[in-house]
Amino acid sequence: MRKEQTWGTIITIHGKSTTYEARYTYRKQRICKRFKDKLSAQGWLNSEKTLVEADRKGISKWTTPSERKRQEDAINRRKRLFCDYVTEEFVPNWLDYSADGRELASGSKRKHREYLAHLSKVFFWKYPIAEVSTEDINRWLSNIKNFGGATPRKKTFQLLKSVYEKAVNEGMVDRSPVTMKAPKVPKSKQAEIPPATAEQLQIIYENMAPTTRISIWLGAILDMRIGEVTALQVQDFDGKTQTIHIRHSESDDGELKDTKTDASHTTQPVPPILAGLINDACKNKKPTDFIVTKPNGERIHKNNLRDDHFNKAKIVAGRPDLHFHTLRATSITTAVQVGASLKETMQWGRHADAKTSLDRYQRASGADRMRELANGIEARLMPHEPTEAELKQAIVETKKRLADLESQLDAIYHQKR
């Protein structure tokens, strides 16, 4: 190893290949860098000497090579295009995987591609990522026609926000220009559909095939989605404990997949009458057979169950407005009416977030429910003499209830004969 004295030092290092390390010390900091040839090492020392002399004369401020590299990288980052950062840094993981690393279902992947397509049409797509402003984003959001609806606009906005959160965390930008709240989405018309009544559910049940009709109670009582109903297998039902394990759903291509959310994957208690119906539907079937099937016993897919069975029966019940998903609202509404708390509503509804449960809970416990509670509290706490009308109404209801009970008792006697 040989030293040659110049401004600074160049050290020749012999090994598998000869390298040259240039060194100098300034402001009590030792600076060094290795090169493959001596000429490059000397050239670097000369350029460093120029920077040091400029600093001594007060012409410019000297910084270490590593500090200069960081400043150069920061400048280059600010020049990086928004589109390049999205496609090269953000999209590869986000497009097909959830935040916890699990691969997304095909439907979720399709939605991600849809929102990415909307984002790729923004007018600032090829702007430097650090130069997109809050004003640019507000201008983009102002035209809902860019998205084809309120929900895609909100989802695309959330995608943009996530991109900038990543960029800030990685030091790509100093701060996010996404400072506004997410666009609001009006309540869907489906969410405003009134729940089904007990009478309507019974009519729908009676007008469906024997192999599919149990799906009505699985939806209206156990709060199951249609894809969860068609994915339900015999092995998912435990007759001894009267519980049902909801662990699968049906994908758009008919395959079994994970439930919509982690919260959806659960074990639900099954009340006794429904447990009996499920037990009957499981008879003479293998554990992997499906509980709800076509009339010929073959597997039924969710579109077939909806279009060829449920939709026809709901017309007979006088409820053409019903969706199968309305049965979930029916279940939750009824749960609230029998006294479920907000926490219990969230657990029963298997919602991934509290807001969904809160919306459903508030709707189910709205003005009519509040009136019912007020009347009930008054009746408990405030003594009063019943009016003639109240007494007559109570007599009518009691007679009707008595007639129903006698009819049920006669039916039991008839079965025993």
Side-chain angles (χ1 to χ4, degrees):
M1 187 166 61
R2 183 169 54 87
K3 295 183 180 181
E4 296 183 12
Q5 197 67 35
T6 59
W7 183 87
T9 304
I10 296 178
I11 300 175
T12 303
I13 302 174
H14 298 288
K16 290 184 179 180
S17 60
T18 302
T19 58
Y20 301 86
E21 183 173 282
R23 299 176 179 175
Y24 72 93
T25 300
Y26 186 61
R27 295 188 182 280
K28 298 182 179 181
Q29 295 194 64
R30 185 181 181 186
I31 310 300
C32 58
K33 187 174 181 179
R34 289 191 178 188
F35 299 89
K36 291 182 179 180
D37 60 272
K38 184 178 178 181
L39 186 62
S40 297
Q42 186 60 61
W44 178 77
L45 273 179
N46 292 340
S47 63
E48 289 296 305
K49 181 181 179 183
T50 301
L51 295 174
V52 168
E53 290 176 346
D55 181 72
R56 285 171 174 168
K57 294 176 182 179
I59 297 174
S60 60
K61 184 179 179 181
W62 176 87
T63 56
T64 65
S66 59
E67 290 173 336
R68 276 177 258 150
K69 180 65 167 59
R70 283 196 293 270
Q71 291 169 0
E72 182 183 349
D73 289 344
I75 293 172
N76 290 335
R77 283 198 302 271
R78 298 188 74 83
K79 292 180 180 178
R80 190 167 191 191
L81 299 183
F82 175 75
C83 59
D84 292 338
Y85 182 77
V86 171
T87 56
E88 295 171 9
E89 301 295 333
F90 186 85
V91 164
N93 286 325
W94 171 84
L95 204 56
D96 295 325
Y97 296 92
S98 62
D100 59 6
R102 293 187 304 168
E103 186 172 2
L104 296 172
S106 58
S108 297
K109 290 181 181 179
R110 185 177 65 253
K111 286 296 182 182
H112 275 203
R113 283 169 172 75
E114 175 189 334
Y115 306 141
L116 178 61
H118 285 307
L119 186 62
S120 68
K121 295 175 184 177
V122 297
F123 66 86
F124 51 82
W125 182 243
K126 293 187 177 181
Y127 281 22
I129 187 170
E131 295 182 14
V132 177
S133 67
T134 301
E135 290 73 19
D136 291 330
I137 298 172
N138 279 325
R139 176 182 160 197
W140 165 62
L141 289 172
S142 65
N143 190 353
I144 195 171
K145 293 181 180 178
N146 291 336
F147 309 91
T151 297
R153 178 175 64 163
K154 181 175 181 179
K155 294 294 185 180
T156 308
F157 168 84
Q158 291 171 334
L159 167 58
L160 174 67
K161 185 175 182 180
S162 296
V163 168
Y164 269 101
E165 285 175 349
K166 178 178 173 67
V168 170
N169 290 336
E170 294 178 347
M172 183 62 61
V173 295
D174 296 332
R175 65 180 185 83
S176 171
V178 188
T179 58
M180 67 291 294
K181 292 182 179 180
K184 291 184 178 181
V185 177
K187 289 186 177 180
S188 68
K189 294 182 179 178
Q190 182 176 335
E192 298 301 319
I193 297 174
T197 66
E199 292 77 12
Q200 291 164 352
L201 291 172
Q202 185 62 33
I203 294 173
I204 295 173
Y205 173 82
E206 292 172 351
N207 282 275
M208 290 178 67
T211 59
T212 62
R213 59 177 47 157
I214 196 175
S215 64
I216 299 306
W217 302 126
L218 293 173
I221 295 178
L222 295 188
D223 192 39
M224 293 179 65
R225 301 174 178 90
I226 192 168
E228 295 167 345
V229 168
T230 54
L232 202 60
Q233 297 173 299
V234 172
Q235 62 188 354
D236 297 326
F237 174 64
D238 188 333
K240 293 182 179 179
T241 60
Q242 291 195 341
T243 55
I244 204 158
H245 190 183
I246 304 171
R247 52 184 159 186
H248 291 123
S249 187
E250 181 188 342
S251 66
D252 292 337
D253 55 9
E255 299 298 321
L256 291 184
K257 64 172 185 176
D258 289 336
T259 53
K260 184 177 180 180
T261 65
D262 289 340
S264 299
H265 188 139
T266 189
T267 299
Q268 294 280 68
V270 182
I273 298 176
L274 179 55
L277 295 176
I278 296 175
N279 190 60
D280 290 342
C282 292
K283 285 181 180 177
N284 303 318
K285 290 184 178 180
K286 296 179 294 186
T288 55
D289 286 343
F290 293 93
I291 294 178
V292 178
T293 67
K294 293 180 180 179
N296 62 5
E298 293 180 358
R299 181 184 174 187
I300 190 169
H301 296 292
K302 58 184 181 181
N303 290 342
N304 183 211
L305 175 61
R306 180 192 301 111
D307 299 339
D308 299 334
H309 296 264
F310 176 76
N311 284 353
K312 292 180 179 179
K314 73 181 185 181
I315 301 297
V316 181
R319 287 299 306 271
D321 59 325
L322 284 180
H323 294 254
F324 195 94
H325 202 73
T326 313
L327 301 183
R328 272 174 58 79
T330 300
S331 178
I332 293 171
T333 299
T334 307
V336 175
Q337 291 172 345
V338 298
S341 66
L342 175 57
K343 183 178 180 180
E344 290 167 337
T345 302
M346 183 175 180
Q347 183 178 353
W348 184 252
R350 297 176 292 131
H351 295 137
D353 62 278
K355 184 180 182 304
T356 305
S357 291
L358 183 60
D359 291 344
R360 292 276 179 85
Y361 183 86
Q362 288 178 334
R363 184 182 173 202
S365 58
D368 291 342
R369 175 59 173 162
M370 294 302 101
R371 170 66 64 182
E372 182 181 339
L373 290 176
N375 291 345
I377 294 170
E378 179 190 71
R380 287 286 185 93
L381 302 179
M382 185 181 293
H384 73 286
E385 292 294 329
T387 65
E388 181 180 350
E390 289 175 340
L391 289 172
K392 288 182 177 180
Q393 180 63 30
I395 291 172
V396 169
E397 292 176 357
T398 302
K399 286 182 177 180
K400 184 178 183 302
R401 177 59 177 158
L402 180 60
D404 289 340
L405 293 173
E406 289 176 342
S407 177
Q408 293 176 32
L409 186 60
D410 288 342
I412 294 173
Y413 287 153
H414 181 72
Q415 289 177 357
K416 290 182 177 180
R417 292 174 182 172

